[in-house]
Amino acid sequence: SVWNGKYPGCKETFTGWTDVELSPIGEQEAIRTGQLLTEQTRGMNIDALFTSTLTRARMTAHHCWWAYNNNLDDQYMLRSSDTNGNSESYQYQAAPAQFIIDHRLNERHYGSLQGLIKADAEAGKHGHDPDDVYQWRRSWHVVPPEMEEEDPRRLEEFRKYGTITENAVPKAESLSMVAEERIRPFLTENLTPILDSAHEYRMSSSSSSLFATEEKEVALDGTHTHKKADGGGTALVVAHANSIRALIGVLCNVEDDPAGVALNKLERMKLPTATPLVIKFRKTEVEGRYYPVDGGLDEDVKNDLPVYPLSSLKLMK
């Protein structure tokens, strides 16, 4: 966005639910990501694209998907006109079966920090202790200072998001709150049913996907994908650094690790913009819990957070 520190004249700023525009740099990053997705996911159906209600995420999704299809169309035309007898083919997909906007993928709400330059807050220029600011940014459980009820920023958020959230606009959120109050319901009520239905449809049709019996998932600071080993689909999730971190936390059950290794890794994890990641997961039928499926890249190493670069996709089992 124009507040992420890359846009000329703007320093890195706490953004949260502030609906700032996607910067020209962000547009170019989204386009490059779409091109990369074309190259790395050839032969795979993307059943649904999910994004947040915030403009910067929706525009990232738009540019990414446009570039994905534009690049796919170019490659499809080249293969169709191949005169050397080479017939490597893949299913041509002009659009995801569903394009879903869900407020539960919104960025984590930074409370009264929203609009403050991060470096200034960390330097104590607004009266905050630097250690507190670090915890507000990285900790899974710590909640930043809440936004006051009559704060003009909060009134504007209610105007924009009150209806779609059923007036559940947060005053501030920890990553744990995002995970339990937004991401887990999003997975249960939206993403998983849609992908399961997509898989069932594909299995009942003659145009089954090449990867129909596998399980995968892709994520970009805006992107993610799911497939199920015994049935499932693939999704592209275009969201925000902290909502993606919360999504990873739910899928990897970081709060259930008694040693706290996965949680510590997640708290330190920094997700650069326009960097697609892959995570595979399943959902238990009885308990309804999610758990990650290791990609099988190294059988001798247990990965506490099995999240991989998009380039690893073709190496996974």
Side-chain angles (χ1 to χ4, degrees):
S1 75
V2 294
W3 279 11
N4 70 2
K6 295 181 180 181
Y7 189 65
C10 292
K11 297 181 179 180
E12 189 176 8
T13 304
F14 287 104
T15 308
W17 281 41
T18 308
D19 198 20
V20 298
E21 296 291 329
L22 182 66
S23 70
I25 294 174
E27 293 179 8
Q28 293 303 312
E29 289 180 338
I31 290 170
R32 287 197 297 272
T33 300
Q35 295 168 344
L36 182 62
L37 284 169
T38 306
E39 298 164 3
Q40 297 292 332
T41 65
R42 187 174 304 142
M44 179 187 297
N45 284 328
I46 297 178
D47 299 300
L49 190 158
F50 299 88
T51 191
S52 83
T53 61
L54 298 172
T55 299
R56 58 190 185 274
R58 290 189 289 107
M59 293 307 298
T60 297
H62 167 78
H63 289 296
C64 179
W65 197 253
W66 173 85
Y68 173 88
N69 282 290
N70 191 55
N71 200 42
L72 186 63
D73 187 60
D74 289 344
Q75 293 190 31
Y76 180 79
M77 291 178 65
L78 285 173
R79 280 174 169 73
S80 298
S81 60
D82 192 341
T83 59
N84 297 322
N86 299 321
S87 58
E88 178 189 0
S89 62
Y90 54 90
Q91 188 168 351
Y92 178 71
Q93 179 181 358
Q98 299 190 60
F99 191 111
I100 299 101
I101 297 173
D102 194 316
H103 74 274
R104 291 174 293 191
L105 288 172
N106 280 13
E107 176 60 294
R108 167 257 199 102
H109 198 294
Y110 265 115
S112 63
L113 298 179
Q114 292 184 175
L116 301 183
I117 295 173
K118 292 181 180 180
D120 290 349
E122 291 168 345
K125 292 185 178 180
H126 299 284
H128 304 120
D129 185 288
D131 291 336
D132 289 338
V133 177
Y134 178 82
Q135 289 297 317
W136 293 331
R137 293 189 64 184
R138 307 312 308 172
S139 171
W140 181 256
H141 295 288
V142 178
V143 183
E146 290 187 349
M147 189 177 286
E148 295 291 335
E149 197 66 54
E150 297 304 316
D151 190 308
R153 297 170 296 177
R154 181 161 176 76
L155 297 177
E156 174 63 13
E157 288 174 358
F158 260 104
R159 185 189 69 80
K160 295 192 71 171
Y161 311 119
T163 300
I164 60 176
T165 63
E166 298 180 347
N167 292 322
V169 179
K171 293 182 179 180
E173 295 175 302
S174 66
L175 283 174
S176 178
M177 292 168 64
V178 176
E180 293 303 317
E181 298 172 13
R182 296 205 267 125
I183 296 300
R184 193 177 294 279
F186 161 74
L187 288 169
T188 302
E189 300 168 9
N190 209 346
L191 186 143
T192 302
I194 286 174
L195 297 189
D196 286 346
S197 297
H199 170 75
E200 292 173 5
Y201 174 78
R202 193 158 51 244
M203 291 299 94
S204 65
S205 69
S206 59
S207 58
S208 297
S209 166
L210 176 63
F211 294 95
T213 59
E214 298 185 3
E215 167 184 289
K216 302 199 186 295
E217 187 161 298
V218 182
L220 151 97
D221 176 278
T223 319
H224 233 87
T225 315
H226 155 154
K227 267 191 182 284
K228 208 168 175 182
D230 295 316
T234 303
L236 180 66
V237 178
V238 180
H240 310 269
N242 285 305
S243 53
I244 290 295
R245 280 208 296 158
L247 179 58
I248 293 170
V250 172
L251 296 178
C252 295
N253 297 299
V254 295
E255 294 192 33
D256 296 341
D257 178 11
V261 175
L263 180 57
N264 288 336
K265 287 184 178 180
L266 186 61
E267 288 183 327
R268 296 194 305 270
M269 180 181 288
K270 294 183 179 180
L271 301 179
T273 57
T275 303
L277 303 173
V278 178
I279 183 170
K280 301 170 65 177
F281 71 92
R282 297 178 185 171
K283 181 181 180 182
T284 59
E285 295 296 333
V286 178
E287 299 177 345
R289 292 178 60 80
Y290 298 94
Y291 65 96
V293 179
D294 195 281
L297 299 180
D298 190 337
E299 296 295 342
D300 298 324
V301 178
K302 180 182 181 300
N303 193 337
D304 296 291
L305 279 182
V307 182
Y308 303 100
L310 182 63
S311 58
S312 303
L313 187 61
K314 294 181 180 179
L315 301 177
M316 290 185 171
K317 296 181 179 179

